[in-house]
Amino acid sequence: QLDQFPTNFLWGSASAAYQVEGAWQEDGKGVSVWDEFVRIPGKTFKGTNGDVAVDHYHRYKEDVALMKEQGLKAYRFSVAWTRIFPNGRGEINQKGLQFYIDLVDELIANQIEPVLTLYHWDLPQALQDEYKGWESRKIVDDFTNYAVTLFEALRGKVKYWVSLNEQNIFISHGYLMASHPPAVSDPKRMYQANHYANLANASVIKKFHEMEMPGQIGPSFAYGPNYSFNSDPKNVLAAEDAEDLNAHFWMDVYLFGKYPISALKMLKEQGIAPVIEAGDEELLAAGKPDFLGINYYQTNTVVFNPLDGVGMGKMNTTGEKGSTEESGVPGVFKRVENPFVERTNWDWEIDPQGLRVGLRRITSRYRIPVLITENGLGEYDKLTEDKEIHDDYRIDYLNGHIHAIKEAITDGVEVLGYCTWSYTDLLSWLNGYQKRYGFVYVEQDENQDGTLNRYKKDSFYWYQKVISENGAN
Ligand code: BGP
């Protein structure tokens, strides 16, 4: 039995540029695809956007001071590409770069390890307009050039680098479900864009190693382990297919440099497989990550889905419990409710043990250290008259998951750290500001009105204790 987590375990928390910074037009920043997307009526909850967000751009010192008070060991944040290169490439915008140098210096001065995400979805709009962004091979060079700029500027200061955040999500939502920019719904285009994203990811990792950067790099994958609903063989196979199509399809490429055979065959039969050119496989194989970042929120329970069965259904983006539509891939699988777990108001299944299952699967298949780059509970929180927030539901959620990690470590999984989502409350891409995840409450209502003052939730003090004792009880 392991009583304590490894020493130097990174007890952290996370955010992303678009969701916290605001200052969307300040100091020379360019426009990103999200800056444009939120302006299209009906795309986000009540039209909420990140123009001001929680104003972290101006209040980062206050936020870092809270981290210091809490005893946080690591802070994961992302860089807005458009602050560094307003048009995606060309001249460096020094003021934008300086913001991240200052943030990193502030973290280091407070003994907090920076974990830097290069890409958390806010692609420069200029690259979208010029060559359709991820749908062009040109993105590989531009993304690599942007990454190298940051490698050079922050060499030795930042030791943990995340290349792409949730490639599986930004690609599927952007090119299949049409719920993220560029709001396309075309599987063929999706798989091609995904292939270029794989190349870009590998190219940046390869460069990091060639430059002998001190530290480690890896992508963050949104992993929702798949379960079969029951032991009916056709459902068991459906769960295997779901694991191949929704998980191995990305993780195998990161770690083996190859797409899983069964999934590729399925795509070829449907005429939607990506075009893979000479040299691509070599690049994929040369860009092996040092760790795998895992964003874990929930598991997926599936059954077989006939050919005339359901397709992609809408997600619950309103917080009205039970409003999630059925969703699946015809001829393969569809998702069903797991009768053994509870659900949040956004219908996300709460399954701490699923994290242990997922970590074990990853370790058995890939033998790679894991950094948990996101895990958390999005819920309504209430600020009392005394300016307190009693979020015991969040404490229960995080406590359960920390226990699952501890068990996974005793199983033999190498876990470098745990970043909760999120540090402060922030913008939930499609769900606005009412779906809160933070340890720190930010005062503003669902219409984005409020002081943006920060208040510590009960979970803030609870995590402070977890960190000081190097593990939950
Ligand atoms: C992940 C993203 C985060 C964050 C989180 C919570 O997919 O990497 O940026 O938003 O999910 O999701 P949501 O805001 O939809 O509740």
Side-chain angles (χ1 to χ4, degrees):
Q1 262 293 344
L2 182 91
D3 297 326
Q4 291 224 311
F5 281 77
T7 31
N8 301 327
F9 188 79
L10 296 171
W11 293 105
S13 195
S15 72
Y18 187 70
Q19 296 175 277
V20 292
E21 285 178 2
W24 78 293
Q25 289 183 307
E26 254 167 83
D27 293 337
K29 181 185 166 295
V31 172
S32 80
V33 291
W34 271 92
D35 290 322
E36 291 260 314
F37 184 72
V38 295
R39 296 190 148 64
I40 307 172
K43 290 294 184 193
T44 62
F45 180 75
K46 292 194 170 188
T48 37
N49 61 52
D51 291 4
V52 179
V54 297
D55 200 26
H56 177 70
Y57 191 77
H58 298 112
R59 300 182 194 219
Y60 76 93
K61 285 195 177 165
E62 182 187 345
D63 291 339
V64 175
L66 285 164
M67 293 173 204
K68 166 83 173 167
E69 179 188 337
Q70 196 184 29
L72 209 70
K73 305 268 190 230
Y75 177 56
R76 174 180 178 234
F77 62 94
S78 79
V79 172
W81 187 338
T82 51
R83 289 201 194 280
I84 313 301
F85 294 107
N87 294 313
R89 72 163 100 89
E91 287 262 302
I92 298 176
N93 174 38
Q94 285 302 338
K95 276 190 173 169
L97 182 58
Q98 195 59 44
F99 170 72
Y100 297 104
I101 295 173
D102 293 345
L103 173 62
V104 165
D105 287 344
E106 188 75 11
L107 289 167
I108 292 172
N110 288 287
Q111 292 86 43
I112 301 163
E113 192 73 57
V115 179
L116 187 154
T117 305
L118 291 165
Y119 185 78
H120 204 126
W121 306 353
D122 43 358
L123 183 81
Q125 181 66 40
L127 301 185
Q128 185 64 36
D129 294 341
E130 190 185 322
Y131 56 69
K132 291 200 184 156
W134 294 106
E135 289 190 71
S136 165
R137 196 169 270 273
K138 292 187 182 149
I139 195 76
V140 178
D141 282 350
D142 285 337
F143 183 55
T144 307
N145 174 58
Y146 155 67
V148 167
T149 306
L150 291 169
F151 293 162
E152 283 167 353
L154 296 167
R155 186 185 183 96
K157 291 185 178 179
V158 174
K159 300 197 195 91
Y160 295 89
W161 298 78
V162 173
S163 43
L164 295 181
N165 178 69
E166 296 191 351
Q167 182 186 335
N168 54 328
I169 301 296
F170 79 76
I171 291 289
S172 60
H173 285 247
Y175 300 89
L176 188 66
M177 289 148 83
S179 51
H180 283 189
V184 168
S185 185
D186 183 334
K188 194 170 169 52
R189 285 170 67 180
M190 171 179 85
Y191 285 113
Q192 197 60 49
N194 185 60
H195 183 61
Y196 296 139
N198 279 327
L199 296 177
N201 184 67
S203 163
V204 158
I205 294 176
K206 182 169 168 259
K207 205 74 194 178
F208 185 88
H209 292 142
E210 281 169 3
M211 288 171 71
E212 298 183 352
M213 288 286 293
Q216 307 186 29
I217 189 166
S220 277
F221 182 71
Y223 185 32
N226 296 281
Y227 299 156
S228 174
F229 180 67
N230 59 22
S231 55
D232 180 341
K234 67 176 188 300
N235 294 337
V236 173
L237 187 65
E240 291 289 317
D241 283 341
E243 197 70 5
D244 267 352
L245 262 185
N246 284 354
H248 301 152
F249 196 77
W250 282 273
M251 291 196 285
D252 280 12
V253 176
Y254 296 147
L255 280 313
F256 301 148
K258 287 183 186 10
Y259 293 97
I261 292 168
S262 65
L264 207 54
K265 188 167 160 278
M266 229 182 298
L267 302 186
K268 278 190 182 143
E269 280 163 10
Q270 294 176 45
I272 54 176
V275 177
I276 300 171
E277 287 183 17
D280 288 0
E281 288 189 340
E282 287 71 17
L283 176 56
L284 294 178
K288 293 276 167 67
D290 304 309
F291 66 85
L292 187 60
I294 287 297
N295 294 356
Y296 175 79
Y297 291 91
Q298 56 181 331
T299 43
N300 301 305
T301 300
V302 304
V303 294
F304 174 69
N305 187 24
L307 262 182
D308 59 354
V310 292
M312 283 294 159
K314 276 212 190 95
M315 288 175 64
N316 166 355
T317 54
T318 57
E320 196 188 307
K321 207 170 180 169
S323 63
T324 302
E325 289 177 6
E326 277 209 306
S327 193
V329 178
V332 196
F333 63 87
K334 77 166 179 184
R335 202 167 168 208
V336 292
E337 284 192 356
N338 183 337
F340 301 101
V341 304
E342 305 271 307
R343 268 161 281 278
T344 72
N345 279 310
W346 277 261
D347 301 325
W348 291 30
E349 293 189 337
I350 302 175
D351 180 14
Q353 189 180 275
L355 177 54
R356 181 180 180 184
V357 170
L359 290 171
R360 282 165 56 150
R361 285 185 186 175
I362 288 168
T363 300
S364 300
R365 195 172 174 105
Y366 306 114
R367 305 283 160 131
I368 186 161
V370 173
L371 176 62
I372 295 160
T373 37
E374 285 181 31
N375 171 243
L377 177 68
E379 266 306 339
Y380 298 107
D381 287 334
K382 202 174 160 304
L383 187 67
T384 67
E385 274 176 20
D386 302 332
K387 305 288 185 196
E388 290 175 347
I389 304 92
H390 304 304
D391 56 343
D392 43 306
Y393 38 88
R394 182 167 293 107
I395 294 173
D396 286 348
Y397 180 100
L398 297 174
N399 193 49
H401 287 79
I402 290 173
H403 271 278
I405 296 166
K406 198 163 159 180
E407 302 285 3
I409 293 173
T410 61
D411 293 337
V413 178
E414 190 181 342
V415 186
L416 302 172
Y418 174 66
C419 295
T420 67
W421 186 266
S422 55
Y423 192 68
T424 60
D425 288 338
L426 41 68
L427 172 68
S428 172
W429 304 94
L430 302 177
N431 313 277
Y433 291 94
Q434 56 165 4
K435 190 181 186 188
R436 296 171 181 271
Y437 281 91
F439 291 125
V440 174
Y441 184 93
V442 178
E443 191 173 38
Q444 73 175 315
D445 65 19
E446 61 184 56
N447 299 312
Q448 319 192 88
D449 286 333
T451 61
L452 301 184
N453 286 343
R454 273 74 165 140
Y455 299 100
K456 290 167 264 181
K457 302 183 190 177
D458 288 356
S459 58
F460 178 97
Y461 299 103
W462 168 82
Y463 198 54
Q464 182 176 52
K465 189 159 172 283
V466 170
I467 299 170
S468 73
E469 294 173 353
N470 198 30
N473 283 309

